[in-house]
Amino acid sequence: MSLKMAKLLKTTSNILSVQAKRNIGVCAPAMQKVTDPIQRLFLEKVREYKQKSSGGQMVDVTPETQRELNQELMKLAKQYGGGQGVDMTKFPEFKFSDPKLDSIDLEELEKK
């Protein structure tokens, strides 16, 4: 009985040890403050970008860039069946109908 208990305790301690190492490995970076200047700069830029990007529009877009985007979207629309006023960003709607099937007469098949 005590041998089984010792094996159970050893197995349990091994499992808990592995889980604790994993949890510390995952949580440690989140608990630390950003001390690296490059990380701090990166986070500042991400936050700045988040503030600038609203409504799904491009950030700091120039008229030339917007014109190029519109030209590319028109080329894609022509290539893939879109046209004036067709929203190419919308997922297409599929309509499937069941095909008409001929009925099978089993008696006729047996006669042949």
Side-chain angles (χ1 to χ4, degrees):
M1 180 81 163
S2 64
L3 184 61
K4 288 182 181 179
M5 192 63 108
K7 285 183 180 180
L8 179 65
L9 287 174
K10 184 176 181 181
T11 305
T12 305
S13 71
N14 286 342
I15 292 172
L16 290 175
S17 174
V18 170
Q19 289 298 322
K21 287 178 186 176
R22 287 183 185 167
N23 288 341
I24 290 173
V26 170
C27 296
M31 292 187 292
Q32 294 176 353
K33 290 185 178 180
V34 178
T35 57
D36 185 14
I38 295 174
Q39 285 179 338
R40 183 177 297 125
L41 180 63
F42 176 75
L43 286 175
E44 287 173 4
K45 289 296 180 181
V46 167
R47 289 179 184 134
E48 179 183 332
Y49 182 80
K50 182 180 176 184
Q51 288 176 350
K52 286 183 179 181
S53 65
S54 61
Q57 300 297 322
M58 291 193 303
V59 176
D60 297 335
V61 63
T62 63
E64 180 183 335
T65 307
Q66 187 65 38
R67 186 175 64 251
E68 288 176 11
L69 174 67
N70 290 338
Q71 288 174 350
E72 291 298 319
L73 289 175
M74 287 304 295
K75 283 197 304 191
L76 287 172
K78 288 178 184 176
Q79 185 175 4
Y80 292 106
Q84 194 71 10
V86 176
D87 185 12
M88 294 296 289
T89 60
K90 182 180 171 189
F91 192 78
E93 294 180 13
F94 299 106
K95 295 180 183 177
F96 298 104
S97 61
D98 292 332
K100 288 189 175 184
L101 300 175
D102 294 335
S103 63
I104 298 176
D105 191 7
L106 294 176
E107 292 176 6
E108 284 185 26
L109 292 175
E110 290 175 1
K111 290 179 184 177
K112 292 182 179 179

